[in-house]
Amino acid sequence: MLRFTLRRILQVIPTVVVVALLIFVIFSVVPGTFAASLFADGKRAADPQMIARLNEEFGLNKPLMERFVTYVTDLAQFDLGTSFRTRQPVIDLINDRMGASLQLAVAAMVFALVVGVPLGFLAALRPGSILDTVTMIGAVSGLSMPQFWLGLLMMYLFALQLNWLPSFGYGDGSFQNLILPAVTLGVTPLALLARTTRAGVLDVLNADFIRTAHSKGMSEMKVVRWHVSRNALVLIVTTVGLQFGSLIGQAVVIEKLFAWPGIGSLLVDSVAIRDIPVVQGTILVIVLWFLLINTAVDLIYAAIDPRIKQE
Amino acid sequence: MLKRLTFAALLSLSVATGALAAGERSGGTLVFTAPYGSSFATLDVQASPNTQEEFITQAIHRGLYSWNSIENKPVLELADSEEVSEDGLTHTYHLRKNAVFHNGKALTADDIIYSYKRIANPKNAFPGASFIAVIKGAEEFIAGKSEEISGLKKVDDNTLAITYTGPINPGFPLMQNTTVIYPSNVEDESTFAKNPVGLGAFVFKEHVPGSQVVVEKFDKYYEEGKPYLDRINIVLMAEDAARDVAFRNKEIDVSILGPTQYQAYQGEEGLKDHLLEVAEVYTRNIGFNPAFEPFKDKRVRQAINHAINAPLIIERLVKNKAYPASGWLPLSSPAFDKDKAPYAYDPEKAKALLAEAGYADGFEFEVTASPNESWGVPIVEAILPMLKKVGITVKPKPVESSALGDAVTTNNFQAFIWSNLSGPDPLNAMRCYYSKTAQSACNYTSYASADFDKLYEAAQQERDPAKQNDLLRQANNIVQDDAPVWFFNYNKAVMAYQPWVHGLVPNATELAVQPYDEIWIDETAPGSRK
């Protein structure tokens, strides 16, 4: 198990390196500069002297290769650089926002798990029932609904009409402020989980070993508990892993909409003003998060199903 | 229409909607919105040219001058009076004796000298350096050629003499967000980015990155009886739609409206009576690059101005949240010419002008445009059929906002559509058409006219504001006639406010930025605000 774990962790490194290089190359060729973004809204006249000073200060006048070497050297020392806009270390900016992002992602995933998995399970145990039909219609709707629109709908209903919840913001970090963005973000993974759980459970229910279990006189409850649940778990864990990994990236829209202070909104702002160190750092963290979750999922697989470890 | 909508008329309309109501009440919390992004870049506002940070500045800081929205001009802020030398170059300021920083230090001339040197320090590369450059000796200091700014002289603790490079109105450059005064007794300057210390009416309390800045009443503020509010939560809300819900839900006290919301709010009871409008100092335009052959000819540029039905676009696309432009200087400019009519929509005249210029069969050009709904790709798409009618084919070239700035300042365009600063200082605004202004500065259309230059130089030397405005008005009319741009519109900024909020003013420089020390909330405010 230790060798398997080490091997999976080491596999993360080349992926991170490739992603880091890609990020650098992409943001070196896209048009627009940080200095130009300072007057992009037309609210002040361009100042060539200031542009020159800023380009010099941030090393943007240097040749691409030199900047690349600096970037890689800094990265190797876990230094994500300094933000052009705030002049603070990128890692500090990400630290300021990471807590809120994790809070949102975890809450959304918990919501998706608590609602999605039982619904998928129950739908599979009673295929063709009203519950099954309603669950699947709900799942398709959840998957096809744009998150931005769903968020606005939730705001309109729960904040404006019912006045139950605040429509935006982090407030003082209260649970009430978390509900609307978390539920909005959680709807897509919920729908996916419900569908995959249903499919996985149905698949297992039709397997030979389930028939064998029934023929041995095992009760329905025991069959579901000991055979169905465990075998369907691999598919559920895969879905949870993939969804949880991508939630921080998906949260960009939700964070912006609900004025939630996570790294998603930091990324959007930074892209718009070409604050390249922050963009690079934030994307890297999101990718790293995805990879770590996937590695964790692989390790959980191995624990659930020893055949995977052997493979 | 344009003649009737003078700035004075707009001002009185806006004031009547609730700006200067009597019976100020002290206490309460205002929930204000900062709509230009989902974060504050820094709390060290001297380092930031962004409008977003101006919300913090208004609460926490003060500059030597400030903008008076009612008088529509800069006024002395940190000095009780000033004396101007005969040549108009040296201003001697008698500083307020009761102005105290939030860290307890009394304001002295040293603080102003310290602040201006910090802003101009070449190692800092701060955006405000170009404003400090109006002070004699600042250019040398910025270039690292001298240790001091020779134009700054401390007479005594409460008296400061500043010598400028010309007989300018220093109020415009020294009222800026980036030229506010910091205390000179803070050893570690890096703390300004996390714990700002200023002379403003409110003290910094808390910053939740990506969420809000909270400020609280400063008891030693120099204006007696002010501020009225106990606390302001400046919340970050970049999304129009989310702001709309929050405003209707009474979670926020003010909201800046886009065209669609403006139209909706005008039609709704309870909302339509609480809209504050002002003609802001921005001119939306399509700039023509004279390096592109057809645009060398003034008749072609004039033809485009005649071929586009700007009022129709303003009505249909911009939902009347703009005023048709009759020249570069906007309605709110003291040098605006109310007698000058905009280019008339006249496709036949446009065709004739094109034929005269040798383009009877038309031509094709590309417009570099950002996605902005009021001055971007949607507007270019709207003018496509209009110009097609006179034989001109337009191709939009969509780019991101920062790429637009890059393309324009590197002269890499045939035409661009943008919203540009055209006030409040008409002298500074017309600088962008002075032939000696670099293309990369703000003479984006590489405009050069000997007649214009003569008037502009005369205006630079003129010390009588009325005469200076008259010269600039004439210069503006030359630009209008030469049509280096398609004059589209002047932005009408609109702010919706809750009925319990009073003291908002029609700030033509940026409506979203309000003087917080003037604002108060009445008894009808919800419990959470009182």
Side-chain angles (χ1 to χ4, degrees):
Chain A
M1 187 69 182
L2 185 68
R3 268 186 64 190
F4 177 78
T5 309
L6 276 175
R7 203 174 69 224
R8 292 298 292 117
I9 290 172
L10 287 173
Q11 280 171 359
V12 169
I13 296 171
T15 316
V16 170
V17 171
V18 170
V19 167
L21 296 185
L22 273 176
I23 298 168
F24 180 86
V25 171
I26 290 168
F27 282 95
S28 298
V29 295
V30 290
T33 60
F34 170 71
S37 80
L38 293 179
F39 48 88
D41 60 5
K43 291 185 174 177
R44 59 204 65 80
D47 179 352
Q49 286 174 325
M50 187 181 86
I51 293 172
R53 281 197 300 270
L54 287 174
N55 285 341
E56 192 184 329
E57 185 188 345
F58 300 134
L60 297 173
N61 291 333
K62 292 177 182 165
L64 191 65
M65 194 47 82
E66 195 179 330
R67 279 190 279 151
F68 177 69
V69 170
T70 311
Y71 171 64
V72 171
T73 315
D74 289 348
L75 210 57
Q77 297 167 54
F78 301 102
D79 180 359
L80 295 177
T82 303
S83 162
F84 294 164
R85 188 167 74 127
T86 68
R87 303 184 191 215
Q88 289 172 28
V90 172
I91 196 72
D92 288 357
L93 297 180
I94 292 174
N95 276 340
D96 280 345
R97 305 287 196 106
M98 200 62 196
S101 276
L102 286 177
Q103 206 179 342
L104 183 59
V106 169
M109 205 64 232
V110 168
F111 167 69
L113 267 171
V114 168
V115 182
V117 173
L119 272 180
F121 232 101
L122 291 173
L125 293 176
R126 302 279 179 274
S129 65
I130 293 175
L131 177 76
D132 183 29
T133 312
V134 171
T135 302
M136 286 309 102
I137 290 173
V140 171
S141 311
L143 282 173
S144 52
M145 218 181 299
Q147 283 186 331
F148 187 85
W149 184 77
L150 177 66
L152 281 175
L153 210 65
M154 304 274 268
M155 278 182 183
Y156 181 77
L157 183 64
F158 294 104
L160 196 56
Q161 292 301 318
L162 300 170
N163 212 8
W164 288 353
L165 296 164
S167 71
F168 77 100
Y170 191 66
D172 52 3
S174 74
F175 182 63
Q176 276 207 323
N177 284 74
L178 180 64
I179 295 174
L180 284 186
V183 168
T184 309
L185 184 62
V187 163
T188 304
L190 184 155
L192 261 175
L193 271 172
R195 279 184 73 89
T196 47
T197 305
R198 180 182 178 273
V201 171
L202 274 178
D203 220 25
V204 177
L205 283 173
N206 292 326
D208 291 342
F209 64 89
I210 297 294
R211 264 197 301 277
T212 309
H214 279 304
S215 63
K216 284 195 297 188
M218 220 175 190
S219 70
E220 179 76 19
M221 188 68 119
K222 277 191 176 170
V223 171
V224 170
R225 200 165 152 192
W226 293 110
H227 294 286
V228 180
S229 303
R230 189 158 179 155
N231 282 285
L233 209 57
V234 174
L235 193 60
I236 295 169
V237 168
T238 310
T239 312
V240 169
L242 285 171
Q243 284 299 304
F244 196 33
S246 59
L247 267 188
I248 287 194
Q250 285 176 29
V252 169
V253 176
I254 301 300
E255 287 181 8
K256 194 92 177 151
L257 180 65
F258 286 96
W260 188 261
I263 60 171
S265 49
L266 176 69
L267 177 63
V268 174
D269 277 6
S270 304
V271 169
I273 58 153
R274 298 290 187 273
D275 191 349
I276 305 301
V278 178
V279 175
Q280 289 169 335
T282 314
I283 294 179
L284 211 58
V285 166
I286 291 173
V287 169
L288 205 60
W289 164 259
F290 187 83
L291 291 172
L292 288 176
I293 294 287
N294 268 283
T295 305
V297 168
D298 283 353
L299 298 176
I300 294 169
Y301 280 165
I304 298 171
D305 188 347
R307 287 171 302 178
I308 292 170
K309 193 167 57 181
Q310 283 161 13
E311 282 164 21
Chain B
M1 173 76 171
L2 195 67
K3 285 178 189 170
R4 277 186 281 126
L5 281 170
T6 59
F7 182 70
L10 290 168
L11 202 66
S12 54
L13 173 76
S14 308
V15 170
T17 57
L20 292 176
E24 294 86 348
R25 174 184 172 274
S26 287
T29 298
L30 181 77
V31 183
F32 208 83
T33 47
Y36 302 118
S38 45
S39 60
F40 290 112
T42 175
L43 303 186
D44 182 353
V45 296
Q46 284 182 351
S48 170
N50 305 316
T51 308
Q52 186 82 326
E53 276 71 63
E54 285 189 39
F55 298 101
I56 301 170
T57 311
Q58 272 298 324
I60 298 173
H61 297 288
R62 290 294 177 266
L64 185 54
Y65 289 85
S66 64
W67 178 252
N68 186 314
S69 297
I70 305 300
E71 293 178 31
N72 199 38
K73 64 177 189 184
V75 292
L76 276 178
E77 178 66 41
L78 292 178
D80 292 321
S81 61
E82 68 177 325
E83 290 145 20
V84 183
S85 63
E86 272 191 24
D87 60 5
L89 297 180
T90 303
H91 292 231
T92 304
Y93 299 94
H94 300 284
L95 305 179
R96 284 180 183 270
K97 288 180 180 153
N98 60 346
V100 179
F101 287 99
H102 302 156
N103 65 359
K105 184 191 182 305
L107 170 73
T108 65
D110 293 323
D111 300 310
I112 297 177
I113 294 172
Y114 159 76
S115 296
Y116 290 169
K117 282 175 70 180
R118 179 174 190 259
I119 296 161
N121 187 338
K123 286 178 190 157
N124 289 335
F126 281 175
S130 59
F131 297 121
I132 301 300
V134 298
I135 300 172
K136 191 181 164 196
E139 289 282 9
E140 292 78 5
F141 184 82
I142 293 166
K145 292 175 187 164
S146 69
E147 293 289 307
E148 299 295 330
I149 299 175
S150 61
L152 291 172
K153 291 269 186 299
K154 175 185 173 181
V155 179
D156 59 46
D157 273 357
N158 296 307
T159 315
L160 174 73
I162 303 182
T163 305
Y164 297 97
T165 52
I168 57 159
N169 179 350
F172 289 109
L174 300 182
M175 68 170 198
Q176 302 292 330
N177 187 48
T178 49
T179 56
V180 295
I181 306 305
Y182 284 3
S184 56
N185 66 341
V186 173
E187 282 184 16
D188 181 4
E189 287 189 352
S190 67
T191 59
F192 289 134
K194 298 242 171 188
N195 290 297
V197 180
L199 291 157
F202 294 88
V203 184
F204 171 74
K205 179 75 180 168
E206 181 192 25
H207 175 211
V208 181
S211 180
Q212 64 176 357
V213 161
V214 178
V215 293
E216 288 181 348
K217 182 177 186 169
F218 180 43
D219 292 329
K220 292 179 183 166
Y221 183 54
Y222 51 76
E223 290 271 4
E224 207 181 321
K226 291 181 184 172
Y228 304 114
L229 297 162
D230 287 337
R231 179 185 165 112
I232 307 172
N233 298 345
I234 306 170
V235 297
L236 293 153
M237 287 202 81
E239 283 301 327
D240 286 358
R243 220 166 44 240
D244 177 39
V245 173
F247 183 78
R248 288 168 184 270
N249 204 30
K250 300 177 174 51
E251 290 175 81
I252 55 175
D253 291 325
V254 299
S255 180
I256 286 289
L257 305 186
T260 312
Q261 287 176 352
Y262 177 48
Q263 194 181 37
Y265 279 45
Q266 279 177 309
E268 286 188 45
E269 288 298 328
L271 294 177
K272 67 178 182 187
D273 297 331
H274 298 103
L275 299 177
L276 183 60
E277 301 175 2
V278 72
E280 277 188 339
V281 290
Y282 305 107
T283 303
R284 280 82 178 264
N285 65 98
I286 288 185
F288 306 122
N289 191 340
F292 179 63
E293 194 57 36
F295 294 151
K296 283 195 169 96
D297 195 314
K298 168 174 145 177
R299 289 166 297 187
V300 171
R301 304 190 302 260
Q302 288 176 330
I304 292 175
N305 271 279
H306 280 299
I308 303 172
N309 190 345
L312 184 70
I313 300 174
I314 292 170
E315 185 195 330
R316 299 282 167 83
L317 272 183
V318 190
K319 316 285 186 197
N320 286 321
K321 207 183 93 55
Y323 304 99
S326 57
W328 187 251
L329 294 175
L331 278 167
S332 47
S333 173
F336 174 73
D337 188 348
K338 62 182 181 358
D339 298 321
K340 187 80 177 171
Y343 277 90
Y345 172 56
D346 189 345
E348 291 311 313
K349 192 170 181 182
K351 279 183 193 167
L353 282 165
L354 285 170
E356 268 179 46
Y359 290 99
D361 296 330
F363 63 95
E364 184 179 303
F365 73 99
E366 201 175 66
V367 182
T368 306
S370 74
N372 191 287
E373 61 177 332
S374 301
W375 43 270
V377 172
I379 305 300
V380 179
E381 285 167 348
I383 68 169
L384 282 172
M386 296 178 188
L387 288 179
K388 195 74 192 169
K389 270 189 190 166
V390 298
I392 299 174
T393 305
V394 179
K395 279 187 167 178
K397 185 182 178 187
V399 293
E400 266 193 274
S401 295
S402 63
L404 172 72
D406 222 19
V408 174
T409 53
T410 52
N411 212 12
N412 183 22
F413 65 91
Q414 289 179 349
F416 64 81
I417 184 164
W418 210 352
S419 169
N420 295 106
L421 187 72
S422 49
D425 178 6
L427 188 68
N428 190 46
M430 294 318 288
R431 178 181 66 96
C432 297
Y433 291 98
Y434 186 40
S435 66
K436 289 180 184 167
T437 301
Q439 191 279 337
S440 59
C442 64
N443 189 358
Y444 305 131
T445 55
S446 306
Y447 182 75
S449 155
D451 292 340
F452 175 92
D453 285 358
K454 209 170 145 186
L455 284 165
Y456 182 76
E457 282 163 7
Q460 274 183 314
Q461 298 307 316
E462 181 56 60
R463 288 179 58 198
D464 179 339
K467 286 180 184 166
Q468 188 187 57
N469 286 337
D470 192 47
L471 289 165
L472 292 168
R473 201 170 292 125
Q474 293 173 49
N476 179 55
N477 290 343
I478 289 176
V479 173
Q480 199 237 21
D481 187 52
D482 278 341
V485 302
W486 166 54
F487 299 98
F488 178 26
N489 69 51
Y490 309 125
N491 180 34
K492 182 202 280 185
V494 183
M495 176 185 267
Y497 59 94
Q498 303 290 5
W500 55 81
V501 178
H502 305 270
L504 300 170
V505 293
N507 181 358
T509 64
E510 174 61 63
L511 183 62
V513 176
Q514 289 288 325
Y516 296 127
D517 55 338
E518 305 280 349
I519 299 173
W520 56 280
I521 54 177
D522 67 29
E523 288 292 343
T524 62
S528 62
R529 308 290 207 289
K530 286 195 277 194

